[in-house]
Amino acid sequence: MFANRLLRLRRRALTGLSLALLTLVALLTPAQAASADYPYRVALPMALGAQRPTPTPSPTPDGPCAQAQVMAALIAGHPGQRRATMVLDPILQQVAQAKAEDMAARHYFDHTNPEGYGPNYLARQAGYPLPSYYLTAPTANNIESLAADSPDAELILQAWLASPGHRVHVLGEQAFFAAQIEYGIGYATSTGGEYSEYWVFISSCRGR
């Protein structure tokens, strides 16, 4: 049963987890992927620039719940993490947790909520000053990765890292994402919907 659950989680990571990313020097060209039973979009980035040396991860602050604390430690402490440091931001934490709870309460799994608003919009509305070059469309996403269907932070991280588009975001493998040193992690549970657990990882840097 455990093996089947992990296989299902990894399959959904590759076909169902959504990520829309931005390059500093080129417009994003999404690569659409879907399956008949899990028709969510995957958008992969083009990114240019020199690779940063792998830094020594600094300790992460506590998250709002045990699962988020574990996930923060796993992401910051991963040997492939390219961010020089990671700092919990209270606004991004609020946005991430609110998004996880909203998906759990209204039984959807998407970067865009039922009202048509995406992560960039929600972060700005909450008062976080995204850089001016981040996308401004209501559905835009330069900051968020999602996952669902497991309470285990290690399994969720494995699923993200198995998806190239999510990996560059979570580990900051391109300069655009390596600059996103502030973060928030949301986790919520649900009953009665397709999924019983929802995860949100948001990272960004402050605009000037």
Side-chain angles (χ1 to χ4, degrees), residues 129-188:
L130 293 182
S132 60
Y133 53 84
Y134 279 28
L135 295 174
T136 58
T139 60
N141 176 27
N142 300 118
I143 61 176
E144 179 183 85
S145 284
L146 303 177
D149 208 27
S150 175
D152 191 317
E154 291 188 9
L155 290 182
I156 292 297
L157 182 58
Q158 288 176 26
W160 276 334
L161 299 187
S163 168
H166 293 86
R167 183 183 179 93
V168 297
H169 174 223
V170 173
L171 295 184
E173 290 183 333
Q174 299 292 344
F176 179 85
F177 302 109
Q180 295 180 337
I181 63 170
E182 297 187 339
Y183 76 93
I185 297 174
Y187 173 79

Side-chain angles (χ1 to χ4, degrees), residues 1-44:
M1 180 178 296
F2 176 81
N4 290 338
R5 186 178 182 86
L6 177 57
L7 180 60
R8 186 172 68 253
L9 176 63
R10 286 177 173 167
R11 176 177 62 81
R12 286 172 177 164
L14 293 173
T15 62
L17 298 179
S18 304
L19 184 63
L21 309 176
L22 173 71
T23 172
L24 294 175
V25 295
L27 293 176
L28 175 68
T29 303
Q32 299 291 338
S35 65
D37 60 341
Y38 204 79
Y40 295 103
R41 296 172 298 149
V42 176
L44 302 181

